[in-house]
Amino acid sequence: FELGRRNSSELLRRHRDASSGAWRAVAARAAVANEQGPLRRKLFADPDERVRRAALRAALDARSSDDLESALEAARLDPDLVNRGHATRTVGAIGGERAVLALRDHWVSADEPTRITIIDAWAMPAAYRAGGEHELVTLTENRQGMLAIAAADALVRSRGRFAGSGVATLLRAIGQGTEAERRLAIRLAPFSDKDVVAAIEKATKDADKEVKVIALARLAGDDAHKKKALEGLRELAKKDDELGLQARAALAAAGDAGVQKQLVDLLGSPKAHTRTVAAQGLLALGDYQKAATALADDDPGVRTAVACAVLAARD
């Protein structure tokens, strides 16, 4: 269905009343037409979390105002975190003043991951035009930390009248934030802005090596800065620690084949995280044969992460 190779009506007819939650989820995902709204909303409350998730994804595609109240309820009450995230984004996709204000009410009692999802929802076009922009600007002006960075990124991506305010917030985070905030801001700040480029170049000389490696990785993606950035990453990659691992991953992402052997060797690491990063790096270099060995890893987390990376690379 996702690939457009199955008819939604056929899937609904065959599976809407299936005893298997997995097959009901197929029907729920296909319920994207306006006339299927009542069924979609009924499935928001299905006992199987897979069915609820599929119905919410269908609602995200449908963007029907009739789904709004049910999606808001799911955003607050669904027992599954992922489903609550899908519901929150569905509210943003439907948009309108009611959606924006309801998300503001939800914000009051939400944890930080949920608040970041609400920021994503406010940034969706239908919500952005109906007051989401105001909410994002308010956050960048009155908040600090990850929430302000996420709001700033949303403003930059909108390319609207407040994009410059978003850039300014990201620049402040690069220069003055915590290590985690600086790393995130370096990843998100638009490279088209000359002040951002200067700030990232300055960060490559930072005493904080974690900040330094992410700054070098960002510069390695730009032709004008690539050569020098790769030199810095190669030096850091000599270290046998997490910093060295990050540097190797950045080299692979930049297409530096010189790191290939190191990544192959790391596939045998006792640490699951290291094996995952190594396999993902090999995929970035196009070495599917070596990376595929991680699909048989003993750790299910490694297998899943690498499988997702394979699909993304082949997309």
Side-chain angles (χ1 to χ4, degrees), residues 79-219:
D80 181 76
L81 175 63
V82 175
N83 285 356
R84 294 198 299 273
H86 281 309
T88 301
R89 291 185 177 90
T90 296
V91 172
I94 294 170
E97 184 178 5
R98 163 66 178 148
V100 172
L101 295 178
L103 289 174
R104 185 201 290 171
D105 291 341
H106 186 27
W107 176 282
V108 175
S109 59
D111 57 18
E112 184 166 275
T114 300
R115 287 179 171 181
I116 289 175
T117 307
I118 292 172
I119 287 171
D120 288 341
W122 277 331
M124 291 181 167
Y128 191 87
R129 295 190 298 267
E133 179 185 65
H134 172 76
E135 301 297 336
L136 296 172
V137 171
T138 300
L139 285 173
T140 60
E141 292 179 346
N142 298 292
R143 290 267 182 174
Q144 294 182 342
M146 294 298 191
L147 295 176
I149 292 171
D153 176 54
L155 288 173
V156 171
R157 286 186 285 109
S158 75
R159 299 182 181 180
R161 54 182 174 160
F162 291 104
S165 297
V167 172
T169 297
L170 292 172
L171 282 169
R172 284 196 301 273
I174 292 173
Q176 303 169 18
T178 65
E179 178 192 295
E181 292 163 5
R182 296 177 71 196
R183 285 167 59 86
L184 179 60
I186 288 170
R187 284 182 181 274
L188 297 177
F191 213 74
S192 56
D193 187 284
K194 60 180 177 55
D195 292 331
V196 166
V197 175
I200 295 175
E201 287 180 319
K202 182 179 179 180
T204 64
K205 302 176 178 65
D206 203 273
D208 188 323
K209 295 294 194 298
E210 299 287 342
V211 171
K212 181 175 182 176
V213 72
I214 199 68
L216 288 168
R218 186 72 196 277
L219 290 176

Side-chain angles (χ1 to χ4, degrees), residues 5-314:
R5 297 177 182 174
R6 292 290 184 272
N7 179 272
S8 62
S9 298
E10 174 196 355
L11 294 179
L12 281 164
R13 178 181 58 79
R14 292 178 60 186
H15 304 302
R16 62 183 294 171
D17 298 317
S19 59
S20 163
W23 283 114
R24 287 202 312 283
V26 171
R29 183 65 186 90
V32 295
N34 285 338
E35 62 269 21
Q36 292 151 3
L39 172 64
R40 198 164 52 236
R41 293 186 286 278
K42 176 185 174 183
L43 294 175
F44 286 178
D46 192 277
D48 192 308
E49 69 180 35
R50 296 170 296 180
V51 180
R52 301 196 304 274
R53 186 171 305 168
L56 289 164
R57 290 181 63 194
L60 183 59
D61 286 346
R63 305 188 181 196
S64 169
S65 59
D66 291 337
D67 289 339
L68 179 59
E69 297 304 324
S70 296
L72 283 167
E73 184 175 10
R76 291 185 295 106
L77 301 177
D78 194 288
D80 181 76
L81 175 63
V82 175
N83 285 356
R84 294 198 299 273
H86 281 309
T88 301
R89 291 185 177 90
T90 296
V91 172
I94 294 170
E97 184 178 5
R98 163 66 178 148
V100 172
L101 295 178
L103 289 174
R104 185 201 290 171
D105 291 341
H106 186 27
W107 176 282
V108 175
S109 59
D111 57 18
E112 184 166 275
T114 300
R115 287 179 171 181
I116 289 175
T117 307
I118 292 172
I119 287 171
D120 288 341
W122 277 331
M124 291 181 167
Y128 191 87
R129 295 190 298 267
E133 179 185 65
H134 172 76
E135 301 297 336
L136 296 172
V137 171
T138 300
L139 285 173
T140 60
E141 292 179 346
N142 298 292
R143 290 267 182 174
Q144 294 182 342
M146 294 298 191
L147 295 176
I149 292 171
D153 176 54
L155 288 173
V156 171
R157 286 186 285 109
S158 75
R159 299 182 181 180
R161 54 182 174 160
F162 291 104
S165 297
V167 172
T169 297
L170 292 172
L171 282 169
R172 284 196 301 273
I174 292 173
Q176 303 169 18
T178 65
E179 178 192 295
E181 292 163 5
R182 296 177 71 196
R183 285 167 59 86
L184 179 60
I186 288 170
R187 284 182 181 274
L188 297 177
F191 213 74
S192 56
D193 187 284
K194 60 180 177 55
D195 292 331
V196 166
V197 175
I200 295 175
E201 287 180 319
K202 182 179 179 180
T204 64
K205 302 176 178 65
D206 203 273
D208 188 323
K209 295 294 194 298
E210 299 287 342
V211 171
K212 181 175 182 176
V213 72
I214 199 68
L216 288 168
R218 186 72 196 277
L219 290 176
D222 179 72
D223 289 341
H225 300 84
K226 186 171 185 176
K227 182 178 179 181
K228 189 173 182 180
L230 290 180
E231 290 173 357
L233 288 169
R234 288 172 188 143
E235 190 63 31
L236 292 172
K238 295 176 182 178
K239 298 182 180 295
D240 190 21
D241 55 13
E242 176 63 23
L243 187 68
L245 181 63
Q246 292 178 33
R248 294 182 193 110
L251 286 167
D256 186 353
V259 77
Q260 185 171 7
K261 184 180 184 307
Q262 289 176 297
L263 293 174
V264 172
D265 292 343
L266 290 174
L267 289 173
S269 169
K271 296 181 179 180
H273 169 65
T274 299
R275 300 196 301 276
T276 300
V277 173
Q280 291 171 335
L282 289 168
L283 287 172
L285 291 172
D287 190 345
Y288 290 90
Q289 184 174 2
K290 290 288 195 307
T293 61
L295 294 172
D297 196 277
D298 291 338
D299 189 300
V302 175
R303 296 197 300 270
T304 301
V306 175
C308 290
V310 169
L311 292 173
R314 290 293 195 186

